[in-house]
Amino acid sequence: MAVAEGRKPTVLATDLDGTFLGGDRAARGALYRWIAERRDELMVIFVSGRGLGFMRELADRLPVRPDHVIANVGTSVAAGPDWRPLADIESWLDARWPKDAPARIAKVLARYPGLTAQPVVEGRRVSRYYRDHGEAIAAQADVEQIGFEALLSDGRYFDVLPSGVRKGPTLLRTLTALGIAHERTLVAGDTLNDLSLFETGLAGVAVGNSEAGLVRAVRAWPNVHLSTKPGAAGVLEALRVFHERGSLWEHRSS
């Protein structure tokens, strides 16, 4: 990405499933073309619960490649075209995820047979599926008792993360490490594992297909636009305005 000298790029830090990859083919195509036509003015950061392996394959398939990647619900970071780790971020993450973390967490979660393993898990996290919300809430409390965070999202995902680590905090640290302007960053998401992106205070868009719990949480927040358009169409709606004005329109009434 080449940006005109002295001009700060607009940064899109976006979730993938249901957001950047969401909506119909026409909507996705419109978003990707709009970005491609302005690629020297934009920076794209993928911020996803997906692993780095999946995101590498995706980047090879999409017409828009990310400039940087935050994977595994904020527990992995890869920067630049060579997908390099960032030393400061790695140190911060490692300090919050001791080597025995997976074993300690597995011991706690063994009490909850309704939590079933996800097939592919990377990064500094332990991830399960859940069906019973009450069981998941009880497991969440037990996990927090041993010093980790449990994040429930989309009515089925149960992610145990290092204390203080989620998509939002990792994004802020990544922006700082790379010298990227926070005020030029727009975040986008659709489930509760994206809530921490909006908690950063950065301008954001919750797309039209967002999880009900996310909508309830951010409805009154002045930094978040609730789009009525799903997936990529909702991202493009907000990104066009943000790129032009450097801010979102006035907060809508509920």
Side-chain angles (χ1 to χ4, degrees):
M1 183 198 68
V3 180
E5 186 176 352
R7 177 173 180 174
K8 295 178 180 178
T10 295
V11 181
L12 172 65
T14 179
D15 172 59
L16 293 176
D17 296 288
T19 308
F20 195 77
L21 302 179
D24 60 28
R25 180 179 296 181
R28 295 193 303 272
L31 172 62
Y32 305 159
R33 283 192 302 274
W34 193 91
I35 291 173
E37 289 166 1
R38 298 159 180 79
R39 200 63 182 94
D40 61 342
E41 303 170 9
L42 300 169
M43 179 180 293
V44 178
I45 305 176
F46 288 170
V47 189
S48 176
R50 294 281 196 167
L52 287 172
F54 171 88
M55 293 169 83
R56 282 181 182 275
E57 294 176 4
L58 178 69
D60 289 338
R61 298 197 310 267
L62 286 178
V64 174
R65 294 183 63 87
D67 295 284
H68 311 290
V69 165
I70 296 172
N72 296 301
V73 203
T75 67
S76 302
V77 175
D82 55 352
W83 294 60
R84 71 185 186 279
L86 298 173
D88 289 349
I89 306 297
E90 293 296 301
S91 297
W92 172 65
L93 291 168
D94 284 341
R96 283 157 178 75
W97 192 251
K99 291 182 179 180
D100 66 346
R104 290 168 58 198
I105 294 163
K107 185 176 180 180
V108 169
L109 296 186
R111 306 169 195 160
Y112 300 96
L115 299 182
T116 57
Q118 295 184 25
V120 179
V121 178
E122 303 171 4
R124 303 164 181 87
R125 61 170 171 148
V126 171
S127 295
R128 300 283 193 269
Y129 296 117
Y130 76 89
R131 292 184 180 179
D132 183 278
H133 186 72
E135 182 181 39
I137 291 295
Q140 181 182 46
D142 281 354
V143 163
E144 291 173 354
Q145 283 291 320
I146 62 169
F148 300 99
E149 294 193 19
L151 174 61
L152 281 62
S153 64
D154 205 23
R156 56 179 172 157
Y157 297 118
F158 185 98
D159 291 298
V160 183
L161 308 172
S163 178
V165 176
R166 295 193 182 195
K167 288 182 178 182
T170 301
L171 173 62
L172 289 180
R173 285 177 176 267
T174 300
L175 294 176
T176 298
L178 294 170
I180 298 170
H182 292 201
E183 67 273 12
R184 292 294 303 160
T185 301
L186 175 73
V187 300
D190 73 309
T191 73
L192 279 169
N193 77 12
D194 300 312
L195 177 60
S196 65
L197 291 175
F198 303 117
E199 288 175 334
T200 62
L202 298 169
V205 55
V207 295
N209 52 297
S210 289
E211 181 179 358
L214 178 66
V215 173
R216 286 194 298 270
V218 304
R219 184 179 297 279
W221 295 2
N223 64 306
V224 183
H225 169 64
L226 291 179
S227 177
T228 59
K229 299 178 180 179
V235 176
L236 180 55
E237 175 188 56
L239 182 58
R240 277 176 167 156
V241 173
F242 187 76
H243 183 58
E244 258 183 48
R245 303 182 185 176
S247 63
L248 291 173
W249 44 84
E250 286 185 4
H251 189 51
R252 74 278 162 229
S253 59
S254 56

